Every structure is written in C-alpha cells, then in structure tokens.
Amino acid sequence: MNDVRSRYRALIGHRLFWPAAVLVLMLAANTIYRPGFLAIEVKDGHLYGTPIDILRLSAPLILVALGMTLVISTGGIDLSVGSLCAISGAVACVYISGQPDQNSLATVLTALALAFGVALALGAWNGVLVAVIGIQPIIATLILMVAGRGLAQLITEGQIVTVNSGPYRAIGLGHLLTLPLAIFIALAAALLVAVITRRTALGMIIESVGGNAEASRLAGIRSGRIIFLVYVISAGCAAVAGFMMTANVSSADGNAAGLWVELDAILAVVIGGTALAGGRFFLSGTILGALIIQTLTTSVYAMNISPQTALLFKAVVVIAVCLVQAPAFRAKFTRRRNTPPRPTAPQRQKEQVPA
C-alpha cells in the first residue's frame, strides 16, 4: 500500500503530469462535444483529421518556443520572434516572387538561405544589445518587435506578396510518410536542440548562466557569449517558423504573419515548467505546452466560441493550467483540505476541565 501511494505521489509530482492531464482533458472534452474530433482518415495516401491538424499547426509554435526556452533559461526574454517570423517569410516570398521559375528548387533554397541569414543577423543584433551593450532583454527585443514589423512592411512594400511555388508550399502543406512535413521539421529541430543542449555541456552552461551569471563568469564561463548565442538560435527557430506560416497561405503579410506568436511561445515555455527567472529548462515540457496552446485554440474554434470571448476563455484556461501545475499552489490547497477543523468554544472548555 505504501509502495502504491509513493508511486502515486511521484506520478502526480512529475513536472509533466499536470500539463499532460490538462491536454488529455481538453481532448476528452472536445470528443464529448464532437464525437468525431479524434477521427483520422486516409486520403490519397495521407493522414487527415483534427489531431493531425493540431500537430501540423503546432509546428511553428514549437519552433518558436524552443528558441524562447533557451532565451528564458538565461534569464532573458525575446519579444521579437513574431516580427522575425514576418521578416523571414517576407524576404523568402519577395525573392521567390521575383524569379521567372518559382518552382525551381534552387530558387527556393536560395530564398530560404537569404531569409535565414537575415534572421540570424537580426538575432545577433538582439544578442549584441543584451550581451554586449547591457540593455535589458525586454527592452532590447521590444525594439526589434516594433521596428521589425516596419521592416517586414518595407520589404513587402505594404502589400501581401503571393507566391506560386510548389517546393515552398511543401514546407507548410507538404507530406512525408503520410504525415505533414511541418511535423518532421519541428521534430528534427527539437531533436537537434535536445542533442546540442543535453548531449554536450552547452545545456548545463546555459542553465548556470541563467541561475547566476556572475557566479558563472567567476567560474570561467563567458556568459556574454552564451547569451549572444541563445538569441541567435531563437532567431533561427523563428525564421523556420516564418517559412511555415507563409508557406501555409502561399503569401507573406508583413503585418499579420507571426502576430502575437511570442506570447503563445512564452506561455508554452511557462506551462512546460521553465521558470521566467532563468535556470533549469525543459524542452519536452515546452513541446507539451505548445501542443496545449494549439489544442486550446482548436477547441475554441470547434466549440463555436465567439471571437470576442475566445481570448478571455484562452487566458482563463492557461491560468488554470499554470495554477494546477504550481507546486506551491497544490501544497497550499492540500494543506487546507487536510487541516482538521478547529474546536468550538464549548469543546475547548470541555477539554480544559480536568478529569
């Protein structure tokens, strides 16, 4: 009995238990509301269905959240990822639209390389502002968040740039082994980041810088370089997410692409268990958090919740998830539930009377 009880406590105490429980609960609620919610069917050799759509639409958010995880683990924040998505998509689409053969693989690869390089340069700009000049991360990235939208509009000349490129469209809508290609791209990025941070000393160094940058510097770690690096990685992840977003609609809109994705990414990181103060980070938790955010968004649309109340509903659910998985909140709730009732006045007087 004690062994079962200890296993139960270990299970509910795991950092991924409550987010996973919330995800399962949302899927169950959607299935009750719409019995065919989890149905998957095969068409033309490809899998289709709401669960597949959730995975496909989660891919850009997973990419952005992976980079955000590393930035937050150093004690920083990157508010510019949405603008970087818009810039990378704008550069790629503008280049492709200006070529005589938009279906050329060489043209698409050149556009991706050019847009990816621009995003890395802007990520390096963020890194210099934070790590070298010493500007607070929220201010440094807010500059690019605002200016980046203007830059994306400048690149597209204020127009929605459309492309008719099969290879570029495949980034967002293509399939591989019956599943959307975007899922494999996000999975590959997650595995790459996991290998770099968990199979080398880089992850431990990032966590040490986030835990105490001064102590890390005294220990011989060049914290400035690490902080610079995570902003560049975050920009690279945002660039690939921008390719997916624009490929989904075969167009680049400098004003709408990646709008507010930085907020969803921050929520995914927090839901996954990474503290905003920096230190330990959990990539698996971030991926689960991104799936929760996208499932919640899909649920809002599936349940025909009005757009006026959709954001409020989303905020309430996210707050509930964060509270449920907070150890301090659960401990306080458990303590209140297990506290015996205080004796009444007659009972206290009776206890004071000697036998």
Side-chain angles (χ1 to χ4, degrees), residues 47-250:
L47 295 178
Y48 291 93
T50 304
I52 304 298
D53 290 338
I54 290 175
L55 292 175
R56 179 178 64 84
L57 295 174
S58 297
L61 179 56
I62 289 174
L63 285 166
V64 176
L66 287 173
M68 187 71 74
T69 301
L70 300 182
V71 172
I72 289 178
S73 64
T74 62
I77 199 78
D78 191 353
L79 299 180
S80 65
V81 288
S83 296
L84 287 169
C85 291
I87 292 171
S88 63
V91 171
C93 288
V94 167
Y95 181 86
I96 293 173
S97 65
Q99 302 303 309
D101 184 10
Q102 296 189 16
N103 289 310
S104 171
L105 183 59
T107 296
V108 174
L109 292 178
T110 302
L112 296 179
L114 181 62
F116 193 75
V118 171
L120 292 182
L122 293 174
W125 166 259
N126 282 337
V128 168
L129 291 181
V130 176
V132 179
I133 300 179
I135 299 177
Q136 291 183 353
I138 192 171
I139 301 300
T141 57
L142 183 62
I143 294 172
L144 186 57
M145 176 185 177
V146 176
R149 287 289 168 187
L151 180 58
Q153 293 276 27
L154 184 63
I155 293 171
T156 61
E157 297 181 351
Q159 305 296 319
I160 298 178
V161 179
T162 59
V163 295
N164 187 21
S165 173
Y168 188 75
R169 190 183 304 112
I171 298 174
L173 300 176
H175 286 78
L176 177 66
L177 301 176
T178 73
L179 290 173
L181 179 61
I183 297 176
F184 291 98
I185 295 175
L187 180 61
L191 290 176
L192 179 61
V193 174
V195 169
I196 293 175
T197 57
R198 295 309 184 192
R199 296 299 179 182
T200 68
L202 180 60
M204 183 179 63
I205 293 173
I206 290 174
E207 291 177 338
S208 66
V209 170
N212 193 323
E214 182 61 20
S216 300
R217 186 187 66 81
L218 295 176
I221 297 174
R222 297 183 177 181
S223 57
R225 291 187 178 183
I226 299 300
I227 294 174
F228 175 85
L229 177 63
V230 296
Y231 281 97
V232 174
I233 294 175
S234 177
C237 292
V240 180
F243 300 152
M244 288 185 184
M245 294 174 184
T246 51
N248 280 334
V249 293
S250 297

Side-chain angles (χ1 to χ4, degrees), residues 324-336:
V324 165
Q325 72 168 349
F329 178 82
R330 294 203 309 269
K332 191 173 183 179
F333 179 79
T334 305
R335 203 163 44 240
R336 286 185 176 180

Side-chain angles (χ1 to χ4, degrees), residues 1-9:
M1 186 66 179
N2 290 334
D3 185 49
V4 174
R5 199 173 283 179
S6 62
R7 288 184 180 181
Y8 172 74
R9 289 177 179 176

Side-chain angles (χ1 to χ4, degrees), residues 343-355:
T344 60
Q347 288 177 334
R348 288 198 298 268
Q349 291 178 359
K350 185 176 181 181
E351 291 174 357
Q352 293 174 0
V353 175

